[in-house]
Amino acid sequence: MMGGVVVWPMNTDDRTTVEDVMSAPLETIAKDATVMEATQQMREKDINALVVRTTPRAIISSTDVLDAVAEGKDPTELEVSDVMTTDVETAAPDLYMEEVAAMMTTYGIKHLPVVDDDYVGMVSSTDVTAHLS
């Protein structure tokens, strides 16, 4: 013991999990909302993706919106379902951040809805970077 500080060896109980860093409560949007409404909600909440409560699971991200606008589509006329990404990968709340980073790299994605029976939050590449840096 030095200077009154006890240093314990790191074990798995000390590792950061998705639940420790995820954004909650989860921000969602309806599939029949307009893309403009989705972008306004993302701006208001200062986030880059919303979960769309559909089966299969889906999200709409700022990248989806950017792609649609770049193709000349009108975000006031498009519905979320026209541009959303479906069959999204998800993460469990007890996954370690290193595992999430590996998933994002493997799948080339920036957002993972966190699911524990139901949606509980969202973890982003920004969360991962902030934790691992």
Side-chain angles (χ1 to χ4, degrees), residues 42-62:
M42 283 187 247
R43 176 60 52 94
E44 179 183 306
K45 302 291 184 179
D46 194 27
I47 55 177
N48 290 306
L50 299 166
V51 165
V52 188
R53 289 189 177 271
T54 59
T55 304
R57 293 188 164 112
I59 67 171
I60 180 171
S61 70
S62 53

Side-chain angles (χ1 to χ4, degrees), residues 25-132:
L26 184 67
E27 295 296 331
T28 64
I29 194 156
K31 67 179 182 177
D32 58 355
T34 67
V35 170
M36 182 63 80
E37 289 169 322
T39 60
Q40 289 166 340
Q41 186 175 339
M42 283 187 247
R43 176 60 52 94
E44 179 183 306
K45 302 291 184 179
D46 194 27
I47 55 177
N48 290 306
L50 299 166
V51 165
V52 188
R53 289 189 177 271
T54 59
T55 304
R57 293 188 164 112
I59 67 171
I60 180 171
S61 70
S62 53
T63 303
D64 296 326
V65 175
L66 188 63
D67 289 346
V69 171
E71 291 168 9
K73 297 179 179 162
D74 182 346
T76 61
E77 294 178 7
L78 284 176
E79 288 190 352
V80 167
S81 59
D82 296 326
V83 301
M84 67 188 187
T85 301
T86 56
D87 288 326
V88 295
E89 297 295 327
T90 61
D94 59 353
L95 268 186
Y96 294 119
M97 294 307 292
E98 295 81 0
E99 296 170 299
V100 170
M103 283 179 72
M104 288 181 171
T105 301
T106 300
Y107 297 113
I109 55 179
K110 295 178 183 168
H111 299 90
L112 280 169
V114 183
V115 177
D116 187 12
D117 290 329
D118 194 10
Y119 291 108
V120 293
M122 178 85 78
V123 65
S124 72
S125 56
T126 306
D127 300 326
V128 174
T129 303
H131 167 70
L132 295 177

